[in-house]
PDB file of all heavy atoms in Angstrom:
ATOM      1  N   THR A 284      54.501  72.280  -3.349  1.00  0.00           N
ATOM      2  CA  THR A 284      55.880  72.767  -3.218  1.00  0.00           C
ATOM      3  C   THR A 284      56.197  74.119  -3.881  1.00  0.00           C
ATOM      4  O   THR A 284      57.300  74.569  -3.923  1.00  0.00           O
ATOM      5  CB  THR A 284      56.935  71.766  -3.795  1.00  0.00           C
ATOM      6  OG1 THR A 284      56.614  71.539  -5.148  1.00  0.00           O
ATOM      7  CG2 THR A 284      56.834  70.448  -3.039  1.00  0.00           C
ATOM      8  N   ARG A 286      55.523  77.158  -2.895  1.00  0.00           N
ATOM      9  CA  ARG A 286      55.763  78.180  -1.919  1.00  0.00           C
ATOM     10  C   ARG A 286      56.509  77.666  -0.724  1.00  0.00           C
ATOM     11  O   ARG A 286      56.391  76.495  -0.399  1.00  0.00           O
ATOM     12  CB  ARG A 286      54.491  79.008  -1.513  1.00  0.00           C
ATOM     13  CG  ARG A 286      53.350  78.075  -1.224  1.00  0.00           C
ATOM     14  CD  ARG A 286      52.082  78.916  -1.133  1.00  0.00           C
ATOM     15  NE  ARG A 286      51.079  78.415  -2.053  1.00  0.00           N
ATOM     16  CZ  ARG A 286      50.220  77.452  -1.693  1.00  0.00           C
ATOM     17  NH1 ARG A 286      50.283  76.936  -0.475  1.00  0.00           N
ATOM     18  NH2 ARG A 286      49.414  76.991  -2.536  1.00  0.00           N
ATOM     19  N   VAL A 287      57.266  78.547  -0.093  1.00  0.00           N
ATOM     20  CA  VAL A 287      58.010  78.145   1.071  1.00  0.00           C
ATOM     21  C   VAL A 287      57.106  77.922   2.169  1.00  0.00           C
ATOM     22  O   VAL A 287      56.242  78.716   2.535  1.00  0.00           O
ATOM     23  CB  VAL A 287      59.062  79.223   1.434  1.00  0.00           C
ATOM     24  CG1 VAL A 287      59.818  78.882   2.668  1.00  0.00           C
ATOM     25  CG2 VAL A 287      60.056  79.457   0.346  1.00  0.00           C
ATOM     26  N   GLU A 288      57.124  76.744   2.706  1.00  0.00           N
ATOM     27  CA  GLU A 288      56.278  76.366   3.872  1.00  0.00           C
ATOM     28  C   GLU A 288      57.102  75.663   4.930  1.00  0.00           C
ATOM     29  O   GLU A 288      58.225  75.108   4.599  1.00  0.00           O
ATOM     30  CB  GLU A 288      55.192  75.394   3.449  1.00  0.00           C
ATOM     31  CG  GLU A 288      54.211  75.944   2.427  1.00  0.00           C
ATOM     32  CD  GLU A 288      53.234  76.943   3.066  1.00  0.00           C
ATOM     33  OE1 GLU A 288      53.088  76.946   4.364  1.00  0.00           O
ATOM     34  OE2 GLU A 288      52.729  77.774   2.279  1.00  0.00           O
ATOM     35  N   TYR A 289      56.643  75.586   6.132  1.00  0.00           N
ATOM     36  CA  TYR A 289      57.360  74.946   7.271  1.00  0.00           C
ATOM     37  C   TYR A 289      56.654  73.744   7.518  1.00  0.00           C
ATOM     38  O   TYR A 289      55.429  73.635   7.388  1.00  0.00           O
ATOM     39  CB  TYR A 289      57.373  75.960   8.462  1.00  0.00           C
ATOM     40  CG  TYR A 289      58.261  77.061   8.203  1.00  0.00           C
ATOM     41  CD1 TYR A 289      57.737  78.296   7.703  1.00  0.00           C
ATOM     42  CD2 TYR A 289      59.628  77.052   8.497  1.00  0.00           C
ATOM     43  CE1 TYR A 289      58.570  79.335   7.425  1.00  0.00           C
ATOM     44  CE2 TYR A 289      60.426  78.119   8.270  1.00  0.00           C
ATOM     45  CZ  TYR A 289      59.919  79.285   7.790  1.00  0.00           C
ATOM     46  OH  TYR A 289      60.709  80.322   7.434  1.00  0.00           O
ATOM     47  N   GLY A 293      58.656  73.042  12.372  1.00  0.00           N
ATOM     48  CA  GLY A 293      58.992  74.434  12.264  1.00  0.00           C
ATOM     49  C   GLY A 293      60.189  74.501  11.336  1.00  0.00           C
ATOM     50  O   GLY A 293      60.918  75.579  11.434  1.00  0.00           O
ATOM     51  N   GLU A 294      60.537  73.498  10.635  1.00  0.00           N
ATOM     52  CA  GLU A 294      61.758  73.550   9.802  1.00  0.00           C
ATOM     53  C   GLU A 294      61.256  73.779   8.329  1.00  0.00           C
ATOM     54  O   GLU A 294      60.205  73.416   7.933  1.00  0.00           O
ATOM     55  CB  GLU A 294      62.437  72.159   9.895  1.00  0.00           C
ATOM     56  CG  GLU A 294      63.009  71.859  11.224  1.00  0.00           C
ATOM     57  CD  GLU A 294      63.630  70.467  11.259  1.00  0.00           C
ATOM     58  OE1 GLU A 294      63.753  69.807  10.281  1.00  0.00           O
ATOM     59  OE2 GLU A 294      64.085  70.211  12.373  1.00  0.00           O
ATOM     60  N   LEU A 295      62.120  74.441   7.508  1.00  0.00           N
ATOM     61  CA  LEU A 295      61.759  74.562   6.122  1.00  0.00           C
ATOM     62  C   LEU A 295      61.666  73.258   5.487  1.00  0.00           C
ATOM     63  O   LEU A 295      62.358  72.286   5.790  1.00  0.00           O
ATOM     64  CB  LEU A 295      62.912  75.401   5.427  1.00  0.00           C
ATOM     65  CG  LEU A 295      62.927  76.855   5.672  1.00  0.00           C
ATOM     66  CD1 LEU A 295      64.137  77.500   5.063  1.00  0.00           C
ATOM     67  CD2 LEU A 295      61.625  77.580   5.194  1.00  0.00           C
ATOM     68  N   ARG A 296      60.692  73.206   4.580  1.00  0.00           N
ATOM     69  CA  ARG A 296      60.511  71.987   3.782  1.00  0.00           C
ATOM     70  C   ARG A 296      61.732  71.561   2.975  1.00  0.00           C
ATOM     71  O   ARG A 296      62.499  72.431   2.630  1.00  0.00           O
ATOM     72  CB  ARG A 296      59.358  72.057   2.856  1.00  0.00           C
ATOM     73  CG  ARG A 296      58.029  72.021   3.477  1.00  0.00           C
ATOM     74  CD  ARG A 296      56.986  71.753   2.434  1.00  0.00           C
ATOM     75  NE  ARG A 296      55.757  71.655   3.146  1.00  0.00           N
ATOM     76  CZ  ARG A 296      54.588  71.826   2.528  1.00  0.00           C
ATOM     77  NH1 ARG A 296      54.579  72.259   1.298  1.00  0.00           N
ATOM     78  NH2 ARG A 296      53.469  71.721   3.163  1.00  0.00           N
ATOM     79  N   ASP A 297      61.803  70.311   2.638  1.00  0.00           N
ATOM     80  CA  ASP A 297      62.928  69.890   1.804  1.00  0.00           C
ATOM     81  C   ASP A 297      63.007  70.668   0.494  1.00  0.00           C
ATOM     82  O   ASP A 297      61.943  70.981  -0.059  1.00  0.00           O
ATOM     83  CB  ASP A 297      62.788  68.380   1.449  1.00  0.00           C
ATOM     84  CG  ASP A 297      62.949  67.543   2.751  1.00  0.00           C
ATOM     85  OD1 ASP A 297      63.628  67.855   3.685  1.00  0.00           O
ATOM     86  OD2 ASP A 297      62.327  66.483   2.758  1.00  0.00           O
ATOM     87  N   GLY A 298      64.130  70.959   0.045  1.00  0.00           N
ATOM     88  CA  GLY A 298      64.299  71.622  -1.206  1.00  0.00           C
ATOM     89  C   GLY A 298      64.423  73.134  -1.113  1.00  0.00           C
ATOM     90  O   GLY A 298      64.667  73.831  -2.131  1.00  0.00           O
ATOM     91  N   TYR A 299      64.332  73.675   0.006  1.00  0.00           N
ATOM     92  CA  TYR A 299      64.412  75.078   0.311  1.00  0.00           C
ATOM     93  C   TYR A 299      65.595  75.446   1.043  1.00  0.00           C
ATOM     94  O   TYR A 299      65.879  74.788   2.079  1.00  0.00           O
ATOM     95  CB  TYR A 299      63.178  75.693   0.967  1.00  0.00           C
ATOM     96  CG  TYR A 299      61.888  75.600   0.112  1.00  0.00           C
ATOM     97  CD1 TYR A 299      60.998  74.642   0.389  1.00  0.00           C
ATOM     98  CD2 TYR A 299      61.698  76.516  -0.942  1.00  0.00           C
ATOM     99  CE1 TYR A 299      59.874  74.530  -0.410  1.00  0.00           C
ATOM    100  CE2 TYR A 299      60.548  76.457  -1.593  1.00  0.00           C
ATOM    101  CZ  TYR A 299      59.698  75.432  -1.485  1.00  0.00           C
ATOM    102  OH  TYR A 299      58.510  75.382  -2.207  1.00  0.00           O
ATOM    103  N   PRO A 300      66.449  76.403   0.607  1.00  0.00           N
ATOM    104  CA  PRO A 300      67.620  76.765   1.417  1.00  0.00           C
ATOM    105  C   PRO A 300      67.268  77.313   2.723  1.00  0.00           C
ATOM    106  O   PRO A 300      66.194  77.962   2.945  1.00  0.00           O
ATOM    107  CB  PRO A 300      68.307  77.695   0.493  1.00  0.00           C
ATOM    108  CG  PRO A 300      67.318  78.302  -0.403  1.00  0.00           C
ATOM    109  CD  PRO A 300      66.184  77.186  -0.520  1.00  0.00           C
ATOM    110  N   ALA A 301      68.107  77.179   3.611  1.00  0.00           N
ATOM    111  CA  ALA A 301      67.887  77.659   5.073  1.00  0.00           C
ATOM    112  C   ALA A 301      68.158  79.145   5.111  1.00  0.00           C
ATOM    113  O   ALA A 301      68.861  79.755   4.255  1.00  0.00           O
ATOM    114  CB  ALA A 301      68.669  76.966   6.023  1.00  0.00           C
TER     115      ALA A 301
END
Side-chain angles (χ1 to χ4, degrees):
T284 59
R286 41 195 127 85
V287 175
E288 296 287 339
Y289 293 88
E294 298 175 3
L295 284 173
R296 285 199 177 153
D297 295 331
Y299 292 102

